[in-house]
Amino acid sequence: MKQQLREQLKRQLKADRQIVIAAFQADGMPEKLLRSLRQSVDAVLATAWQAAALPADTALVGVGGYGRGELYPHSDVDLLILLGGAPDQAGRARLEELVQLLWDLGLEIGHSIRTVDECLSESQADITVQTSLLEARLVCGDAALFAELQRRYAAAMDPQAFFQAKVLEMRQRHAKYEDTAFSLEPNCKESPGGLRDLQVILWLAKAAGLASSWRTLATGGLITQTEAKQLMEKERAFKDIRVRLHLHAGRREDRLVFDIQTAIAETLGLQATGSGANMRRASEYLMQRYYWAAKTVTQLNTILLQNIEERLFPPSGEALPINPRFNELNGFIDISADDTFERSPSAMLEIFVLMTERPALKGMTARATRALWHERFQIDAAFRQDPHNRALFLRILQAPIGIIHALRRMNDLSVLGRYLPNFRKIVGQMQHDLFHVYTVDQHILMVVRNMRRFTMTEHAHEYPFCSQLMANFPQPWLLYLGALFHDIAKGRGGDHSKLGTVDAAQFCHEHGLSAGDTELVVFLVENHLTMSQVAQKQDLSDPDVIAAFAAMVKDERHLTALYLLTVADIRGTSPKVWNAWKAKLLEDLYRITLRVLGGEPHSADRELKNRQQEALATLRLYGLPPDAHEALWKQLDVAYFLRHDASDIAWQTRALYDRLGSATPVVKCRLAPIGEGLQIAVYVKDQAELFARICSYFDRKNFSILDAKIHTTRHGYALDTFLVTEQSFANSYRDIINLIEHELAELLGSQAELPAPGKGRLSRLSRTFPIQPTVDLRPDERGQYYLLSVAANDRTGLLYAIAKVLSKYKINLHTAKVMTLGERVEDVFLVDGAALNNARNQLQLETDLLDALKV
C-alpha cells in the first residue's frame, strides 16, 4: 500500500510539474508557475498527511517561501510539523515515516517538528526562525492549533527589535556581495537590489502591522501607487529570471553567472545586435535591464526603510532651517515643502551641494529622497542649459570633501544620468574585456574615487608618489572631470577615447571652462590609455620612445595629470589588475619623461654613466674591491646597462664577482625591490632553447612571469633576469628562494629534453568570453629588432608555449614584457634572428604562434 501511494504521488508530481513548466514556456508568467507548483505540492502533501494518520492535534504548516505561497522549480519545500504535545513512540514512528515518504517523492524538504512553545522559544532565539514563521501558512491539519501559534507569535513580536535585527542582517548580506547591485555575476535573490531586499520590506511591514503587500503599503501611505507598481514590476522581472535560472541549470541556481547569461537572455527573446567591435551581446541587454531594475529596487528600498523606521521610531527633533528650500531634521537634510523640487528644479542639484558643504549630514530624509526621485524627470535640456544649474554642478566637482558620495547618490537617484545624458547610456553597461569587474558607470565612479583618495592624507600611505603629485596639482577637479568622461563613450562603437573627447569638449564649453582647462580635460580623455601602453609595451630604455611620449604630453602639467589618471584608471578596473610592477613601469616613465621635459636630454651615454656610477656606489657598500666590477662589465654592452636599474646591476655584479665564466649554471634569487614577487638572475653558458627551458620550470611551479630581460655577454654567456610572482611567496619566501636557486640550476645543467607545452585550462570567464588570439610582428623604428606582440586568453603554460615556438625558429629574445589584464594577456617581445629576414618564415612563425595561443 505504501509503495503504491509513493509511486502514485511521484507520478502526480511529475505530471503536474511538466504541465506547469510547459505552460510557463508558453505564456512566460512566473507568478502563475510559482503558484501552480505550490498548489501541486500542497495537494500531494495533503494526501501524504492523510495517509500518515497523525493525531488530530497536529498540523502541517508551510513556512518561508513555500509558506508565502511560492515555489520555484528547484527550491526547498520548507515545512513545520506543528504538534499539540510531545509525541509518544508510535507518533514519532509515524512522523518519521511521513518525512521519509516526502523525501522519497523527490521533494527537497527542509523540516522541523515542534510544539507551539518550542516554536516561540526558537523564534526568540533566532531571527531566521522568527522570519520564516512570519510567513507561516496552514497546509492541512489542526486549524485551531495553527491559529494558536499565529496568535501567540503575534503577541510575542517586538516590531522595533525585529526591524533592527533585519536591517543589520540586510547590511551584513549586502557587505557579503560588496555592497553593490552592479556585480557582473549578481545573485538575483541575495545581491543588493534583488528579491531578498523586496522580501525584507514586506517582512518589516507585516511584523509592524503596517501592510502585507505592495498594494496595502500604498493604501497605508508608505509608498505611492506609482512606486507600488514599479516594485511589483521589478519583483516580477526578478522572479522571471530566477525561474529561468532554475529551469536552465536543472538545479537551484540563483546566480546570473557569465556561462548562462546569454542562454537566459535568449529565452527572454533578447538577441545580439551589430558585429565586430560594434556587437552587443544578448547578455549585455539582459544585464543592463537587470541593473536598472536593481537600481530602482535599491532606491525604493531606501525610501521604504526610512518610512517604516519613522513609523516605528517617530522622530522627536525639530527642523532646523538651512535655507528657504531645505531644513536639517535629526541629522538628515529635508525639503521645506513637499513641492520644493517642483517649484525650484535647481534644488535637485543644490541638495547635493549642501551635502558636500555640510559633512555632518547623514543623508536625505525619505521625503526628500522620494520627492527627488519623482521630480528627476524635470532635468531636461532646458534644465541643463540653465547657467545656474551648470554652476551648481561644477560646485559639486569643486567641493573640498564629499564629491564621490555626492556623485554616487546622484547616480543612484538617476540625477547624474539625467544631467549627463551620455552617462545615462552607460549605466549598467557590462564590459566583456576580461579585466573590468565593474559596469562602465561603476568603473568611472571608482576612478573618480581613486583620484579623490590621492588628495586625502589618510590614504597617502597607499600611493605616496601620487599623493605627493596631487598635493601640488592646481585645480584637481579638472582631473575628476577627465575621469568622469574618460569611458563615457564605451559601447557606441569605434574608438571610445576619440568619441569621448566630443562629449568632454562640449561639457567644458557649456560650463564656461577656459581654453587651457578644456584642452587638458580633452587631452586626458583622448589619451587615457596611452601612458599605460607605452610603459607596459614599449622599451623605456629607447630614447626615441621617451622623446615621442614627451612630445605627446608637452609639459609637466599634462604629464602629471595623465599619470594620476592612468594609476586611478588601472586601479579602478579590478583589484587583481594592479601590481607593483605596473606601478614601477609607470613611475619610471613619469620620471624619465619629466627629466626630458625639464630640458635634460635622454641620451644613452648620460643614462649609462648615471647607472654605472650609482651601481658602483652600491657595490662599495658591500665592501667589494674597487675593481670587482671590471671583469663582468667588460663583457656587457650598452643595452644591458640601459635595461637594468642600478640596484639590479649592483646585485648581479656582486653575485657573479667570483663566478665569472662558471662551468655550472649560476642562479640567484631575491625578493624583488619593488616589494612584490621574486627577482631571479640566471648566468649560464648560452645554449639552445634556454628561454624555453627556464619558462618550463616557471610553468611547472605555476609562477607568473611579469618581466624578462635577456642578455648575452661578449664571451657567450646568457645573463637573464626575470620578475616572477606567486601567491605563496609572501609566506615562505626564504625556502622558495633556496629551492629555486637549486632546482633551476640543476635543470639548466642537465640538458634534459623539454616537455611538450601543456594546453592548460581556461578559466570559466575566459571560456565564456574567449578572445581571438592575435600575433603582430613588425620591425622597430630603427630596423634593428622586431617587435612581437601577442594577445590571448590567459592560461597556465602560455608563455612556455610561446617560448617553444621561438626556440623552434631560433629566434633570439632580448626583452619580454608580460602584461596580464585579469583574464587577458598582452605580451610584447623584442626579438631578432635570421628566420625573420624571410617573409615566408615570418608568416609560418606567426601561424605557429597562433596555434600555440589556442586552447
Side-chain angles (χ1 to χ4, degrees):
M1 184 66 180
K2 292 179 181 178
Q3 180 66 26
Q4 185 179 355
L5 176 64
R6 183 182 298 113
E7 294 305 318
Q8 172 198 332
L9 294 180
K10 285 180 73 171
R11 286 194 301 272
Q12 181 179 334
L13 275 174
K14 183 177 180 181
D16 289 349
R17 184 181 180 86
Q18 289 173 341
I19 292 170
V20 170
I21 291 174
F24 171 76
Q25 291 169 339
D27 60 31
M29 297 173 62
E31 294 95 340
K32 179 182 171 184
L33 175 139
L34 300 177
R35 183 176 61 253
S36 297
L37 285 180
R38 185 265 299 170
Q39 289 171 342
S40 170
V41 171
D42 278 358
V44 167
L45 290 177
T47 303
W49 181 264
Q50 186 177 8
L54 290 167
D57 62 341
T58 313
L60 184 62
V61 179
V63 293
Y66 178 61
R68 191 164 55 245
E70 300 175 345
L71 188 61
Y72 287 85
H74 293 281
S75 286
D76 290 347
V77 178
D78 293 323
L79 297 173
L80 165 66
I81 299 176
L82 189 61
L83 307 178
D88 56 19
Q89 187 172 352
R92 283 195 294 271
R94 285 194 293 273
L95 287 170
E96 290 173 2
E97 287 180 5
L98 173 63
V99 171
Q100 185 60 54
L101 171 61
L102 298 182
W103 277 108
D104 290 345
L105 295 178
L107 295 174
E108 295 285 337
I109 65 167
H111 73 283
S112 57
I113 303 174
R114 296 181 181 128
T115 63
V116 172
D117 287 340
E118 288 170 339
C119 286
L120 295 175
S121 176
E122 289 293 327
S123 173
Q124 293 299 313
D126 188 339
I127 187 66
T128 304
V129 174
Q130 190 176 24
T131 306
S132 68
L133 289 175
L134 187 64
E135 299 185 299
R137 174 179 60 88
L138 181 66
V139 178
C140 50
D142 189 343
L145 182 63
F146 176 68
E148 180 188 351
L149 171 65
Q150 287 190 304
R151 178 181 55 77
R152 293 179 59 186
Y153 172 83
M157 171 63 74
D158 180 345
Q160 292 179 324
F162 186 78
F163 178 91
Q164 292 171 330
K166 294 307 292 184
V167 169
L168 175 61
E169 184 183 67
M170 183 182 72
R171 288 173 179 163
Q172 291 171 339
R173 173 170 52 82
H174 285 184
K176 179 181 175 182
Y177 291 94
E178 299 181 350
D179 286 308
T180 180
F182 294 88
S183 165
L184 296 189
E185 294 184 299
N187 185 309
C188 68
K189 178 183 176 184
E190 301 288 351
S191 288
L195 278 168
R196 184 65 82 203
D197 280 5
L198 293 170
Q199 290 163 1
V200 167
I201 292 297
L202 292 177
W203 289 335
L204 295 174
K206 190 172 183 180
L210 299 173
S212 58
S213 68
W214 303 120
R215 287 187 176 86
T216 52
L217 275 169
T219 55
L222 285 161
I223 54 175
T224 65
Q225 293 291 344
T226 299
E227 290 166 347
K229 182 180 178 182
Q230 286 181 312
L231 287 167
M232 286 188 283
E233 287 175 352
K234 306 314 176 192
E235 183 180 44
R236 183 184 185 280
F238 289 149
K239 287 178 177 178
D240 193 11
I241 288 174
R242 191 179 179 208
V243 167
R244 294 175 189 274
L245 282 170
H246 280 218
L247 294 178
H248 178 83
R251 56 184 169 80
R252 183 170 53 198
E253 176 59 87
D254 299 327
R255 300 167 302 151
L256 267 166
V257 293
F258 292 125
D259 315 46
I260 58 180
Q261 286 175 4
T262 297
I264 299 301
E266 290 174 350
T267 68
L268 289 165
L270 302 174
Q271 299 294 329
T273 59
S275 60
N278 296 327
M279 186 182 82
R280 284 201 71 185
R281 299 169 184 262
S283 60
E284 293 181 49
Y285 288 107
L286 167 69
M287 296 312 297
Q288 192 156 32
R289 286 187 186 183
Y290 173 89
Y291 296 132
W292 275 98
K295 184 179 177 184
T296 299
V297 169
T298 299
Q299 197 52 59
L300 293 177
N301 177 276
T302 300
I303 293 171
L304 273 165
L305 279 177
Q306 288 180 314
N307 280 338
I308 294 173
E309 185 174 17
E310 286 178 5
R311 296 286 183 96
L312 292 174
F313 306 92
S316 57
E318 294 184 5
L320 304 175
I322 296 176
N323 63 30
R325 291 164 297 284
F326 297 103
N327 300 322
E328 181 181 338
L329 181 63
N330 296 317
F332 291 85
I333 190 168
D334 191 23
I335 47 179
S336 58
D338 289 339
D339 62 350
T340 292
F341 296 125
E342 184 180 354
R343 287 186 295 102
S344 304
S346 294
M348 285 187 282
L349 291 180
E350 183 188 10
I351 192 170
F352 295 103
V353 173
L354 292 173
M355 291 177 73
T356 63
E357 294 174 348
R358 297 168 174 256
L361 289 171
K362 294 180 286 187
M364 302 181 197
T365 62
R367 184 171 77 142
T369 303
R370 169 178 283 152
L372 181 55
W373 174 257
H374 287 290
E375 294 299 328
R376 69 190 188 279
F377 299 104
Q378 289 202 65
I379 303 177
D380 53 15
F383 182 100
R384 291 188 286 271
Q385 291 167 8
D386 187 328
H388 179 60
N389 293 335
R390 290 173 174 176
L392 286 172
F393 189 80
L394 288 185
R395 281 176 64 186
I396 295 170
L397 291 178
Q398 295 166 353
I401 57 175
I403 298 172
I404 189 60
H405 291 300
L407 291 176
R408 281 180 169 160
R409 285 191 183 106
M410 291 170 73
N411 189 36
D412 290 342
L413 288 161
S414 296
V415 171
L416 186 57
R418 287 278 164 188
Y419 189 78
L420 300 175
N422 283 333
F423 187 91
R424 189 168 187 267
K425 295 176 183 176
I426 49 90
V427 171
Q429 182 176 313
M430 297 183 71
Q431 305 185 77
H432 295 312
D433 52 18
L434 301 181
F435 56 92
H436 281 90
V437 298
Y438 307 107
T439 54
V440 181
D441 60 313
Q442 295 301 306
H443 164 69
I444 286 175
L445 295 179
M446 187 67 74
V447 175
V448 177
R449 185 208 74 154
N450 291 341
M451 283 283 205
R452 284 290 299 150
R453 286 166 82 103
F454 296 155
T455 69
M456 302 176 184
T457 55
E458 61 266 34
H459 296 293
H461 65 282
E462 296 175 349
Y463 310 103
F465 188 54
C466 291
S467 296
Q468 175 188 335
L469 294 176
M470 184 65 96
N472 297 311
F473 193 90
Q475 296 179 287
W477 65 273
L478 293 173
L479 303 184
Y480 312 150
L481 194 55
L484 198 58
F485 279 89
H486 82 285
D487 274 355
I488 202 167
K490 281 276 185 79
R492 296 188 206 168
D495 184 345
H496 75 278
S497 301
K498 297 289 186 184
L499 295 172
T501 60
V502 178
D503 295 346
Q506 180 180 349
F507 176 93
C508 293
H509 173 73
E510 292 175 345
H511 288 74
L513 272 69
S514 68
D517 289 346
T518 299
E519 187 277 333
L520 176 64
V521 173
V522 171
F523 165 84
L524 290 174
V525 175
E526 183 175 7
N527 297 286
H528 70 271
L529 299 174
T530 304
M531 191 168 192
S532 173
Q533 291 170 344
V534 172
Q536 298 183 76
K537 294 186 177 183
Q538 298 190 37
D539 185 358
L540 301 189
S541 67
D542 186 342
D544 291 344
V545 170
I546 302 303
F549 182 70
M552 188 273 294
V553 297
K554 298 186 287 292
D555 57 40
E556 182 178 350
R557 182 176 186 236
H558 286 71
L559 172 65
T560 300
L562 185 58
Y563 172 74
L564 291 171
L565 177 58
T566 302
V567 174
D569 189 17
I570 297 175
R571 284 287 299 166
T573 58
S574 163
K576 298 179 180 179
V577 169
W578 181 258
N579 58 39
W581 178 238
K582 289 185 175 72
K584 182 182 185 304
L585 290 174
L586 288 169
E587 187 172 335
D588 286 350
L589 177 57
Y590 176 88
R591 292 183 183 278
I592 295 170
T593 307
L594 186 62
R595 290 201 297 268
V596 172
L597 292 172
E600 180 182 322
H602 184 64
S603 69
D605 289 342
R606 178 188 295 271
E607 197 65 33
L608 175 70
K609 290 178 181 177
N610 288 342
R611 294 193 184 186
Q612 287 181 338
Q613 289 174 1
E614 190 177 339
L616 287 173
T618 303
L619 286 171
R620 284 194 291 272
L621 296 176
Y622 291 147
L624 296 180
D627 60 350
H629 64 287
E630 292 181 358
L632 175 62
W633 287 17
K634 285 177 183 177
Q635 305 298 331
L636 304 173
D637 58 20
V638 173
Y640 170 85
F641 291 100
L642 294 180
R643 289 175 182 155
H644 289 79
D645 290 342
S647 64
D648 297 340
I649 296 168
W651 172 59
Q652 293 175 27
T653 302
R654 181 188 182 195
L656 299 176
Y657 164 58
D658 55 355
R659 304 290 300 275
L660 208 60
S662 172
T664 58
V666 178
V667 177
K668 290 295 179 182
C669 184
R670 67 171 179 172
L671 284 175
I674 60 173
E676 185 177 296
L678 296 177
Q679 195 171 25
I680 301 168
V682 175
Y683 177 75
V684 63
K685 187 72 175 176
D686 204 9
Q687 56 184 258
E689 299 185 319
L690 177 61
F691 180 65
R693 194 173 296 278
I694 295 171
C695 286
S696 74
Y697 175 77
F698 293 151
D699 179 34
R700 193 168 75 241
K701 292 295 182 181
N702 202 29
F703 295 167
S704 296
I705 302 174
L706 301 180
D707 183 66
K709 296 184 177 73
I710 312 300
H711 189 79
T712 304
T713 68
R714 292 190 175 98
H715 64 315
Y717 272 72
L719 180 50
D720 303 342
T721 312
F722 300 86
L723 179 64
V724 303
T725 185
E726 201 266 339
Q727 290 183 346
S728 65
F729 283 169
N731 301 325
S732 53
Y733 69 89
R734 289 188 179 87
D735 294 337
I736 292 174
I737 285 175
N738 292 332
L739 189 67
I740 292 172
E741 291 181 344
H742 171 72
E743 289 185 344
L744 184 52
E746 192 175 70
L747 174 67
L748 297 179
S750 69
Q751 291 296 302
E753 184 177 351
L754 288 175
K759 282 295 185 181
R761 284 176 56 84
L762 289 177
S763 70
R764 181 172 55 82
L765 181 58
S766 292
R767 291 196 303 272
T768 306
F769 303 113
I771 64 171
Q772 185 65 34
T774 60
V775 175
D776 182 51
L777 181 66
R778 64 183 65 187
D780 67 1
E781 293 182 359
R782 297 179 181 178
Q784 183 178 1
Y785 300 104
Y786 281 83
L787 284 173
L788 172 63
S789 303
V790 302
N793 288 99
D794 194 17
R795 61 177 169 84
T796 305
L798 182 64
L799 190 58
Y800 176 42
I802 295 171
K804 282 283 287 182
V805 175
L806 297 180
S807 175
K808 172 185 173 182
Y809 285 87
K810 295 183 170 54
I811 301 298
N812 301 315
L813 181 67
H814 294 275
T815 64
K817 285 194 171 182
V818 180
M819 183 164 65
T820 304
L821 301 168
E823 302 290 334
R824 176 189 179 99
V825 293
E826 297 180 2
D827 300 345
V828 180
F829 306 93
L830 190 66
V831 299
D832 66 7
L836 300 178
N837 299 326
N838 182 295
R840 180 176 295 178
N841 286 344
Q842 285 188 24
L843 182 61
Q844 189 59 48
L845 170 64
E846 291 180 357
T847 301
D848 287 355
L849 283 170
L850 283 172
D851 288 341
L853 296 175
K854 295 175 182 175
V855 178

